[in-house]
Amino acid sequence: MAVETPAGWTNDGEALTKTFDRGSFNGSVAFVNEIAKVANAMDHHPDITLSWDEVTIRTWSHDVNAITDRDVALAKAIDDLG
């Protein structure tokens, strides 16, 4: 099942991954909270790693153990958060 890889995201064959620089711990936490809102609305939840000024997102569809259009849509929605 081949899907497009959104610009700036890495497709390692198992998941789409991207790291965002948020500039501070508070910026990272706020960004994670915004991602949570989007993920809940889409009912599609990524793995999220938060460090002081960075947030790394890793998404794949657990039910089929592959990257699907749902992951691409979530990646694009996260990018839209800025």
Side-chain angles (χ1 to χ4, degrees):
M1 172 182 321
V3 297
E4 68 175 295
T5 301
W9 290 77
T10 300
N11 178 340
D12 66 7
E14 294 182 10
L16 296 177
T17 305
K18 185 173 181 178
T19 298
F20 297 83
D21 183 343
R22 304 318 293 171
S24 69
F25 181 75
N26 288 337
S28 293
V29 171
F31 188 53
V32 167
N33 286 331
E34 291 302 310
I35 292 170
K37 291 176 191 174
V38 169
N40 282 330
M42 297 178 78
D43 194 27
H44 194 58
H45 304 93
D47 286 350
I48 300 173
T49 303
L50 183 147
S51 61
W52 185 80
D53 63 346
E54 292 183 336
V55 176
T56 300
I57 306 301
R58 189 167 190 266
T59 184
W60 75 99
S61 296
H62 302 267
D63 57 336
V64 295
N65 199 31
I67 300 167
T68 68
D69 290 336
R70 292 177 290 168
D71 301 294
V72 173
L74 179 60
K76 289 179 178 179
I78 292 169
D79 280 341
D80 288 345
L81 294 173

